[in-house]
Amino acid sequence: MNSQQSLEYWVIPPETDAEFVACMEEVLDTYELPYDPLRPMVCMDEQPVQLVKETRKPIEATKARPKRVDYKYERAGTASIFMFCEPLAGWRQATACDQRTKADWALEVAQLLDTRYVDCKQVTLVCDNLNTHTKGAFYEVFTPEKARAYVKRIHFVYTPKHGSWLNIAENELSAMTRQCLKNRRIGTLETLQEEIASWATDVNLTQREVDWQMKVGDARIKLKAVYPKVKTGAFHSQPPSFMLTDH
């Protein structure tokens, strides 16, 4: 294939972006924190899914031939998958609903705070900066008193724009897609919910915690182009003008 005609998709970081650097280093510092069962670190991400129904009954696989499906299919709407993972505990939860509004996101997070993390003083939540992932989302679903109680228990850590690759939950979504959804036609929300829940249960039983390797020191070397160029000695510390007096 002509290399000029081929195309590869990458998440390309911006060049010289102080805000990107600040968010990235906060995420990387968060990943270096030791495990604390009373203040666990949880990553979350989400992705849309196209539901697809078969138009003809598939022919099951035999020893001689693989399973055969008709090339025609029927679109059956869309769904949204929410992925939550606790990297240091080796735990994942995958759920699905028919949309992804602020209310849907807030309900998913609240459900975790009321169940798995009910005894935790605070949860560090790593997520991207979508306009649905906000403190205000809780106030659209719950009373002010209850919304504030939830928000006080969450320490938000946002990945930078164009930096979703820093979210461990995105890696888990990618793994789930390859292992559970790829090359399959799933026609109903209920079936999707069952399949991804089974995947999460199986992975939780067989896989250990996530071992994240990249640290702040590594980022300052490998992503040097993202860091603003600061000239040493360009800024001199001096007292404010109102403190300068003539003698």
Side-chain angles (χ1 to χ4, degrees):
M1 179 182 292
N2 189 329
S3 61
Q4 294 182 346
Q5 295 178 349
S6 61
L7 182 67
E8 291 185 346
Y9 289 94
W10 292 80
V11 179
I12 301 175
E15 292 188 7
T16 312
D17 190 324
E19 291 302 322
F20 182 96
V21 168
C23 291
M24 175 182 66
E25 291 204 348
E26 183 178 14
V27 172
L28 295 178
D29 274 343
T30 299
Y31 288 165
E32 287 197 65
L33 294 175
Y35 178 67
D36 184 346
L38 295 181
R39 292 179 174 82
M41 186 264 292
V42 180
C43 300
M44 75 79 48
D45 199 9
E46 58 187 88
Q47 75 175 26
V49 176
Q50 175 70 57
L51 299 176
V52 176
K53 290 183 178 180
E54 300 285 4
T55 57
R56 300 183 65 184
K57 185 177 180 180
I59 301 174
E60 296 301 324
T62 65
K63 291 183 179 180
R65 304 191 67 172
K67 181 178 179 179
R68 285 164 287 173
V69 297
D70 195 85
Y71 71 95
K72 291 185 178 180
Y73 60 86
E74 177 185 343
R75 294 183 182 273
T78 60
S80 183
I81 296 176
F82 291 94
M83 174 67 72
F84 292 89
C85 69
E86 192 181 337
L88 297 181
W91 174 84
R92 301 128 184 100
Q93 174 178 290
T95 60
C97 60
D98 56 5
Q99 56 187 354
R100 55 172 186 169
T101 65
K102 286 185 177 181
D104 296 307
W105 175 80
L107 289 169
E108 291 285 340
V109 177
Q111 190 272 339
L112 285 178
L113 293 175
D114 289 339
T115 54
R116 179 177 175 84
Y117 302 113
V118 65
D119 296 323
C120 295
K121 295 179 180 179
Q122 191 175 61
V123 173
T124 296
L125 184 64
V126 179
C127 57
D128 57 22
N129 47 24
L130 285 178
N131 59 5
T132 53
H133 301 163
T134 66
K135 297 176 182 179
F138 291 90
Y139 288 83
E140 295 191 10
V141 182
F142 305 105
T143 63
E145 295 78 13
K146 194 167 185 178
R148 183 57 186 160
Y150 282 131
V151 170
K152 287 172 64 177
R153 294 178 57 203
I154 304 172
H155 170 55
F156 289 90
V157 175
Y158 291 104
T159 58
K161 293 181 180 179
H162 308 293
S164 60
W165 54 270
L166 287 160
N167 193 341
I168 293 175
E170 182 175 275
N171 298 332
E172 296 293 337
L173 272 175
S174 178
M176 183 200 66
T177 300
R178 295 193 310 271
Q179 299 167 7
C180 180
L181 303 180
K182 187 177 180 180
N183 297 326
R184 297 183 63 191
R185 293 177 179 175
I186 298 178
T188 67
L189 177 62
E190 292 74 20
T191 301
L192 176 64
Q193 291 169 334
E194 293 172 0
E195 292 295 321
I196 62 177
S198 296
W199 172 87
T201 298
D202 181 65
V203 175
N204 288 342
L205 291 174
T206 59
Q207 188 169 329
R208 295 186 178 182
E209 66 275 6
V210 175
D211 184 15
W212 181 267
Q213 294 292 315
M214 187 175 185
K215 303 182 185 301
V216 170
D218 301 318
R220 292 175 181 175
I221 296 173
K222 297 178 180 179
L223 297 177
K224 187 177 181 180
V226 182
Y227 284 76
K229 305 301 184 290
V230 180
K231 295 181 179 179
T232 305
F235 301 97
H236 299 282
S237 177
Q238 61 181 21
S241 59
F242 67 82
M243 294 181 64
L244 300 176
T245 58
D246 294 328
H247 294 284

